[in-house]
Amino acid sequence: MTKSNSIDRIKKLKELLLIEREEDFFQYKEQFLRASVDQRKKNGVTWFPIKILSDEIGYADYVHVEIERTTQLDAPHRFSAGKNVSLFSNKNPEDIQELTGTIKQSSKNKMKIILHTDELPDWCYDGKLGVNIQFDDNSYIEMQKALDVVIGAKNNRVQELREIIEGNQTPVFEKMDESILIPQLNQSQNKAVRHILSATDIAVVHGPPGTGKTTTIVQAIRLVLQTEKQVLVCAPTNTAVDLLTEKLVEQGVNVLRVGHPARVSEDLLRTTIDGQIQTHVNYKDIKSLRKTAEEYFKMASKFKRTFGKEDAKQRALFYAEARNCIKESRLLEDYIVDSLFENAQVICCTPVTSTNKALANKKFETLFFDEASQALEAISWIPLLKCNRVIFSGDHFQLPPVVKSVKAKQGGLDKTMLDSCIKHDEISSLLTRQYRMHQRIMQFSNNYFYNNELEADATVINTLLSLNEEMSLLHVPVELIDTAGCSFDEFQNPESLSLSNKGEADLLFKHLELLLQQYNFAGEKQKIDVGIISPYKEQIELLKEKLIDFDYSAFPINELAVKTIDGFQGEECDVIYISLVRSNPDSEIGFLSDIRRMNVALTRAKKKLVVIMDTATIGNHPFYKSFIEYCESNNFYKSAWEFIY
């Protein structure tokens, strides 16, 4: 094997990251900085004007505010939990006041924000308030720092890991302990756990949706903790970190969830630093010291601006006492925080959050990195620099990392550590049994991506909406509805440049209504979840508009959700509809050619998958051609004309 120069490649990676940062900032400026307030409102990156509905002191003594926009009600926007924002006053355009914060919760017209302050300034009560999304540079800074360390690594563990990932060194595995058998895991999951425990450097657990990657990783962590005092657990999204935290807590593991309170699930706040401080036996002392400090400050503030020497002396004493109380409370808080980090068995966080100052000098034997297929290589290095070995889990045939720059993507920025490691057969272990979907829903992806190595568990292998063969819409697990020749042409929004297809949207809801009517007629009582997916945001907005007028109250539905493919990552529904939108004479399919993203969409359904597409436009692509042939050979193909009347 020819050795490649890992340092040169990582230097190139650093250049690509700069290109991506420039493109990211350019897009931010285009949609935000150079646009008027009205244009920004239209772009969904500004709410103005807004009113503050409530404010209170919350975790970490930050002010929590709930705000509501008073115009453009229900208009689409880009605010979501975890994003950094600024609350601003436009009362004096020459001198705009600002406060930064992080979104805790976001809905159509209301938002909860944790502001980075312990009290609201006076200008917040003067009206003309708004909220802007901010550009977040922190992750780029941390990634560049990490890559610099990797480039400079010499004669140390970082260098060894760099060369193993590059393929220049062979990873070491000890002999597997075949006696390890966890009763609640299947054969391939147990094999993966044994594989993890035998790894000295790097191991990968991979498999498609529903194969129990998280379950397997959690059991492996539990066993590793028998020989290691503490492990670091990361995932690229807060949702994935929360899921791991929840599963570990269920297993009785002492977990410390590190991250901004706004980015942590409400149910898991008790596992955070702030949550655990508030339940600590010494917390009452901290509260008491803070209350005393507040009283001293109040006493000091009673003195007027003009007072004598004695008054000045007394005021200075009050301030000194207040500061002493604050200092004592902070020392006590620091002591508690140190003990939390010392005693936690598992520290869970996103890669960037692993740079938390409390983790600055910490070293771990093992890093578990979940959903690694969605993490840029540069971001994966951030926590790995603290560890001696890494266990990746994910699916390299699912969603790749988001890369905004075409140039950076062409240069390979979206190639992950998982992609590099999976090439070495000895590193990876495949989970082969899936517990989510009917075997026929699984089978196309199984053939196309997974070398036909998957099997559906007995609990899901033949699960259908109805076993009654006369109920044609309920008894068939997959339907491809072909709109070719129906003149359902795509439409491009001249402003957003995104695409929609009204004909497909109408057809989708017509088919859904027929399916639900048949479900009622069949006498099925079990409530079902329905998901509607499209790769295009414009189509999502159109489908959401139609959903408002779609009355499904007479049907046994738990939930009816409309989301993009990315929005459905990690989720599942009994019934999934996919609207592919593209219909044009030139067979242009744009980013539908991202087949990894489509694999996510096709593997969300448990009992019924309905795909609506124009085969004349889309069918020339090898992936979709194979899917069409799969549907035709299994009698899953239908023409849209069967539903147009």
Side-chain angles (χ1 to χ4, degrees):
M1 183 178 71
T2 307
K3 286 194 174 185
S4 59
N5 191 316
S6 59
I7 293 176
D8 285 350
R9 188 186 64 78
I10 291 170
K11 282 180 178 175
K12 176 77 187 306
L13 191 64
K14 201 176 166 196
E15 290 170 14
L16 293 172
L17 196 61
L18 283 171
I19 293 168
E20 172 67 6
R21 192 260 174 211
E22 284 170 14
E23 176 61 25
D24 196 2
F25 189 56
F26 172 77
Q27 289 185 19
Y28 171 78
K29 284 192 294 187
E30 284 297 301
Q31 71 182 11
F32 186 80
L33 296 179
R34 293 177 186 168
S36 65
V37 170
D38 286 341
Q39 187 59 50
R40 297 202 308 264
K41 285 165 66 177
K42 208 170 184 182
N43 291 345
V45 295
T46 294
W47 282 9
F48 182 84
I50 58 107
K51 62 180 179 182
I52 295 176
L53 299 176
S54 65
D55 65 276
E56 61 182 7
I57 295 291
Y59 284 129
D61 289 339
Y62 286 146
V63 174
H64 293 216
V65 296
E66 184 177 17
I67 60 121
E68 181 179 42
R69 58 176 166 177
T70 54
T71 61
Q72 284 193 303
L73 298 181
D74 298 336
H77 61 80
R78 303 190 189 189
F79 293 90
S80 58
K83 284 193 175 179
N84 290 329
V85 292
S86 62
L87 177 71
F88 68 90
S89 166
N90 215 23
K91 190 162 190 183
N92 180 5
E94 302 299 315
D95 181 27
I96 292 175
Q97 305 281 351
E98 266 187 321
L99 259 182
T100 61
T102 307
I103 300 173
K104 174 67 185 171
Q105 200 178 322
S106 168
S107 59
K108 275 187 178 179
N109 301 307
K110 291 181 182 177
M111 216 186 300
K112 287 182 179 175
I113 303 169
I114 298 179
L115 294 169
H116 302 147
T117 182
D118 56 3
E119 64 176 321
L120 283 178
D122 292 343
W123 55 263
C124 289
Y125 303 98
D126 294 339
K128 289 209 168 183
L129 296 178
V131 178
N132 289 328
I133 287 177
Q134 285 194 313
F135 182 75
D136 188 4
D137 213 17
N138 189 42
S139 59
Y140 288 107
I141 292 167
E142 295 300 339
M143 282 190 281
Q144 292 285 358
K145 276 189 202 170
L147 291 182
D148 284 337
V149 173
V150 178
I151 289 166
K154 198 172 181 181
N155 301 324
N156 60 13
R157 188 58 176 153
V158 175
Q159 183 199 13
E160 290 172 357
L161 290 170
R162 182 187 71 204
E163 297 309 315
I164 292 168
I165 291 164
E166 194 68 27
N168 294 335
Q169 280 181 218
T170 305
V172 176
F173 288 87
E174 296 170 359
K175 191 175 184 300
M176 273 198 206
D177 183 351
E178 299 295 339
S179 68
I180 294 170
L181 188 68
I182 300 167
Q184 60 265 46
L185 299 187
N186 65 40
Q187 189 177 343
S188 68
Q189 290 171 331
N190 268 302
K191 185 183 172 186
V193 170
R194 292 194 288 269
H195 177 69
I196 288 167
L197 296 176
S198 71
T200 301
D201 308 300
I202 295 172
V204 172
V205 175
H206 67 110
T211 51
K213 291 187 291 296
T214 303
T215 300
T216 304
I217 287 297
V218 165
Q219 290 302 322
I221 291 168
R222 199 175 57 78
L223 290 183
V224 166
L225 286 170
Q226 292 178 5
T227 55
E228 295 175 24
K229 183 175 181 288
Q230 196 173 64
V231 299
L232 181 61
V233 173
C234 284
T237 66
N238 281 291
T239 305
V241 177
D242 284 345
L243 177 62
L244 278 162
T245 304
E246 187 182 329
K247 298 288 184 191
L248 286 163
V249 168
E250 284 172 7
Q251 291 291 316
V253 177
N254 179 2
V255 183
L256 184 62
R257 170 68 166 97
V258 183
H260 194 293
R263 298 188 175 99
V264 179
S265 159
E266 199 80 44
D267 296 336
L268 295 172
L269 284 173
R270 68 187 185 282
T271 66
T272 63
I273 298 168
D274 298 311
Q276 292 195 37
I277 285 173
Q278 294 200 0
T279 56
H280 195 277
V281 289
N282 294 123
Y283 183 62
K284 61 179 186 298
D285 298 326
I286 293 174
K287 276 182 80 173
S288 173
L289 285 164
R290 284 178 182 166
K291 191 177 178 184
T292 306
E294 204 175 300
E295 286 167 0
Y296 277 124
F297 275 128
K298 277 181 185 172
M299 286 190 278
S301 65
K302 285 178 183 175
F303 289 92
K304 299 192 179 348
R305 288 181 183 274
T306 53
F307 47 75
K309 278 186 181 179
E310 284 302 312
D311 289 341
K313 192 176 175 182
Q314 190 61 51
R315 184 184 180 187
L317 280 171
F318 284 146
Y319 273 129
E321 287 298 327
R323 282 193 288 269
N324 282 335
C325 289
I326 289 170
K327 187 179 177 183
E328 274 188 61
S329 73
R330 282 179 181 159
L331 284 171
L332 191 52
E333 194 170 64
D334 289 344
Y335 164 76
I336 295 171
V337 170
D338 287 344
S339 69
L340 291 176
F341 276 96
E342 183 63 30
N343 296 321
Q345 291 176 287
V346 173
I347 292 173
C348 276
C349 58
T350 59
V352 174
T353 311
S354 71
T355 61
N356 183 292
K357 65 179 182 180
L359 290 170
N361 300 313
K362 265 195 174 292
K363 291 293 286 184
F364 301 85
E365 182 59 33
T366 307
L367 164 66
F368 282 87
F369 200 117
D370 199 16
E371 300 290 5
S373 57
Q374 294 180 56
L376 294 172
E377 178 179 344
I379 213 162
S380 301
W381 274 114
I382 298 171
L384 185 48
L385 294 177
K386 298 177 179 295
C387 305
N388 285 324
R389 69 167 181 158
V390 58
I391 312 301
F392 290 118
S393 62
D395 181 6
H396 56 300
F397 295 125
Q398 294 272 320
L399 285 180
V402 174
V403 175
K404 295 181 179 179
S405 164
V406 174
K407 187 178 177 183
K409 193 169 185 176
Q410 288 170 344
L413 185 64
D414 64 341
K415 184 183 175 186
T416 66
M417 272 194 197
L418 185 70
D419 294 329
S420 300
C421 294
I422 209 88
K423 291 175 184 174
H424 313 299
D425 291 335
E426 69 275 20
I427 281 182
S428 62
S429 183
L430 175 68
L431 302 181
T432 56
R433 180 172 293 184
Q434 66 85 14
Y435 296 83
R436 173 178 293 170
M437 64 201 98
H438 188 286
Q439 60 179 339
R440 293 297 185 192
I441 298 173
M442 170 196 80
Q443 198 55 48
F444 173 70
S445 287
N446 190 17
N447 291 340
Y448 200 92
F449 293 103
Y450 303 106
N451 199 29
N452 217 23
E453 292 183 67
L454 307 181
E455 58 178 346
D457 188 68
T459 56
V460 298
I461 193 166
N462 289 313
T463 52
L464 293 161
L465 291 173
S466 174
L467 296 175
N468 185 343
E469 292 183 25
E470 292 180 13
M471 300 292 136
S472 58
L473 297 181
L474 311 179
H475 189 70
V476 178
V478 180
E479 276 184 74
L480 164 60
I481 304 177
D482 185 5
T483 66
C486 294
S487 299
F488 289 175
D489 297 333
E490 65 190 53
F491 169 76
Q492 185 174 46
N493 183 320
E495 289 186 6
S496 69
L497 302 182
S498 186
L499 297 158
S500 62
N501 190 316
K502 184 179 182 299
E504 277 195 15
D506 291 339
L507 175 64
L508 189 154
F509 277 99
K510 185 173 284 186
H511 186 282
L512 175 58
E513 188 168 15
L514 290 170
L515 182 143
L516 292 172
Q517 285 171 354
Q518 203 169 96
Y519 194 74
N520 264 359
F521 184 75
E524 301 290 343
K525 301 294 183 189
Q526 187 178 350
K527 287 192 172 186
I528 56 174
D529 296 316
V530 178
I532 299 174
I533 299 176
S534 179
Y536 293 93
K537 286 182 179 175
E538 197 69 25
Q539 183 75 344
I540 291 295
E541 294 308 320
L542 176 60
L543 290 163
K544 282 181 176 177
E545 284 174 23
K546 292 191 71 63
L547 180 59
I548 294 168
D549 299 323
F550 184 73
D551 183 12
Y552 56 88
S553 58
F555 303 111
I557 289 183
N558 266 328
E559 185 184 10
L560 207 168
V562 181
K563 298 178 185 178
T564 61
I565 295 173
D566 295 49
F568 262 108
Q569 170 73 3
E571 295 188 19
E572 57 186 37
C573 287
D574 297 299
V575 182
I576 287 285
Y577 281 84
I578 305 173
S579 170
L580 291 181
V581 176
R582 299 312 298 258
S583 181
N584 58 71
D586 304 314
S587 295
E588 289 182 3
I589 67 167
F591 63 73
L592 289 190
S593 58
D594 183 351
I595 61 174
R596 285 168 60 167
R597 189 164 254 101
M598 280 311 304
N599 188 33
V600 174
L602 293 172
T603 51
R604 300 302 100 197
K606 294 196 283 186
K607 300 176 182 178
K608 176 81 177 184
L609 172 67
V610 182
V611 181
I612 302 173
M613 72 158 85
D614 180 346
T615 59
T617 298
I618 299 171
N620 293 323
H621 188 283
F623 174 80
Y624 296 98
K625 185 172 184 288
S626 296
F627 181 68
I628 294 162
E629 288 168 355
Y630 171 74
C631 291
E632 287 175 337
S633 65
N634 287 281
N635 294 319
F636 297 153
Y637 174 91
K638 288 184 179 178
S639 169
W641 291 108
E642 295 179 42
F643 302 96
I644 299 170
Y645 50 82

